[in-house]
Amino acid sequence: MCCYDKVNGVRACGNEYILNGVIRDRWGVKGVTIGTDWGAMPPGDGVDSAAQALNAGVDLEMGSQTFTRHLAQAIAEGKTTEAKVDEAWRRAYTPLFRAGRFDPVGEVRMELRFAPFVSVWWSIVHGHVCVNQMLTD
């Protein structure tokens, strides 16, 4: 989760160097969704804010509707691309698909190794296991 803080004068949720350059490229962190802290979008009008955050590597915007309201216009103005939206969507939804979140009810297969966690909300445990598996694959 990126935050309200600035790194080298750039709000963390709009800092491509940190989100893509360091976290994803240098550290090699894959299969992780980067979301904003509640409303921690980069400053600016909605179009510029949405484009900067998406281009920087934010996959999921929480606490406002900046992506929902302004990404189409940002794409139309050439400030970001549909490919960036697709990439963010894949990073945000792949863990959910792998965790069986969209499987029909009753078809989610629980492996024996998860048996001790049955009393814990299944989607939380399975989601974390899937994310951990993606990070180690």
Side-chain angles (χ1 to χ4, degrees), residues 16 60 84 94 96:
E16 187 170 8
L60 179 66
K84 291 275 188 187
T94 295
L96 297 174

Side-chain angles (χ1 to χ4, degrees), residues 11-133:
R11 177 85 58 92
C13 292
N15 197 320
E16 187 170 8
Y17 170 74
I18 295 296
L19 301 183
N20 285 326
V22 174
I23 294 173
R24 290 195 171 112
D25 296 338
R26 187 184 309 165
W27 293 349
V29 176
K30 304 294 181 210
V32 172
T33 301
I34 296 179
T36 64
D37 199 346
W38 205 252
M41 294 292 283
D45 73 4
V47 174
D48 289 335
S49 179
Q52 183 182 0
L54 185 71
N55 292 336
V58 170
D59 304 314
L60 179 66
E61 181 250 339
M62 298 182 290
S64 70
Q65 295 181 350
T66 305
F67 275 6
T68 304
R69 292 179 179 162
H70 301 289
L71 275 179
Q73 184 178 348
I75 292 167
E77 292 178 10
K79 295 180 179 184
T80 193
T81 65
E82 285 185 42
K84 291 275 188 187
V85 173
D86 292 344
E87 182 180 1
W89 191 92
R90 272 191 298 279
R91 286 191 300 243
Y93 280 87
T94 295
L96 297 174
F97 276 99
R98 286 190 172 178
R101 197 72 174 133
F102 301 103
D103 290 353
V105 174
E107 289 189 23
V108 176
R109 296 163 302 281
M110 184 166 77
E111 299 174 31
L112 289 177
R113 65 183 176 185
F114 301 130
F117 304 106
V118 172
S119 63
V120 180
W121 187 31
W122 170 244
S123 63
I124 293 173
V125 172
H126 197 197
H128 285 287
V129 170
C130 289
V131 169
N132 288 335
Q133 286 174 346

